[in-house]
Amino acid sequence: MTTLAAPRISTTASALRRLYFVRFAFAIVWALVMLTTASELGPLAVTLLVLYPLFDVAAAVVDARSSRGTGSPALLYVNIAVSLLTAIGVAVASTSGIPAVLRVWGAWAIVAGLVQLIVGVTRRTMGGQWPMIISGAISVLAGGSFIVMAGADGATLTNAAGYAIPGGIFFLISALRLGRVAKRD
């Protein structure tokens, strides 16, 4: 049994490592582009705001497929559903303005953060998951702050753009830490 578990974990860690590197790159590029348009809710900003949760859907699908042998992907399926609903919600909310978008974005950050935190906790024995646990907790807090910011005068999307940067950095740290696990036999 142990001989099967170690290669499975190593294979999963290797797949997650690649995924986390891609998620890091996407988050940084997305944030930099988003920062250029964060002052208004134009077509580019709306496209980017819809694209981010859709990318999260794709990443969760890859994650679920990669980690099937190491545990139940049920929470990843929850994340897929929530992120799909968020993409639709952001598109609809964008017709009502930045505060509405921030409320949808905030609710998504809370739920997605909780999922990330719980998945990280369940995978902690694999290694490289503490950055994911911390990132999930920060996402929950950030989501709450987006909802609060939505009620402020002059709400902007700047903090939503900034939200992606620490998340991307946590994916990078986790990917680097998973390198050790992926090399195990």
Side-chain angles (χ1 to χ4, degrees), residues 30 34 41 45-53 90 101 105 157 160:
W30 182 91
M34 187 66 196
L41 195 57
V46 171
T47 301
L48 289 169
L49 289 164
V50 169
L51 181 63
Y52 198 94
V90 165
V101 169
W105 193 264
L157 300 168

Side-chain angles (χ1 to χ4, degrees), residues 113-160:
L114 284 171
V115 168
Q116 184 178 15
L117 189 151
I118 295 167
V119 168
V121 167
T122 62
R123 290 179 176 168
R124 74 184 180 283
T125 56
M126 178 191 309
Q129 294 303 301
W130 281 105
M132 296 295 88
I133 293 167
I134 295 166
S135 179
I138 291 171
S139 184
V140 170
L141 296 173
S145 73
F146 294 140
I147 293 169
V148 169
M149 281 186 262
D153 290 335
T156 70
L157 300 168
T158 304
N159 288 337

Side-chain angles (χ1 to χ4, degrees), residues 27-168:
I28 299 304
V29 170
W30 182 91
L32 293 174
V33 176
M34 187 66 196
L35 283 170
T36 66
T37 186
S39 61
E40 62 183 56
L41 195 57
L44 178 58
V46 171
T47 301
L48 289 169
L49 289 164
V50 169
L51 181 63
Y52 198 94
L54 290 177
F55 182 82
D56 197 51
V57 167
V61 167
V62 170
D63 192 334
R65 287 183 179 164
S66 300
S67 59
R68 243 185 228 144
T70 60
S72 171
L75 283 173
L76 295 170
Y77 296 141
V78 168
N79 192 54
I80 290 167
V82 168
S83 293
L84 277 173
L85 289 172
T86 299
I88 295 165
V90 165
V92 171
S94 69
T95 62
S96 297
I98 290 174
V101 169
L102 286 173
R103 286 183 189 95
V104 172
W105 193 264
W108 173 60
I110 291 169
V111 175
L114 284 171
V115 168
Q116 184 178 15
L117 189 151
I118 295 167
V119 168
V121 167
T122 62
R123 290 179 176 168
R124 74 184 180 283
T125 56
M126 178 191 309
Q129 294 303 301
W130 281 105
M132 296 295 88
I133 293 167
I134 295 166
S135 179
I138 291 171
S139 184
V140 170
L141 296 173
S145 73
F146 294 140
I147 293 169
V148 169
M149 281 186 262
D153 290 335
T156 70
L157 300 168
T158 304
N159 288 337
Y163 163 76
I165 295 171

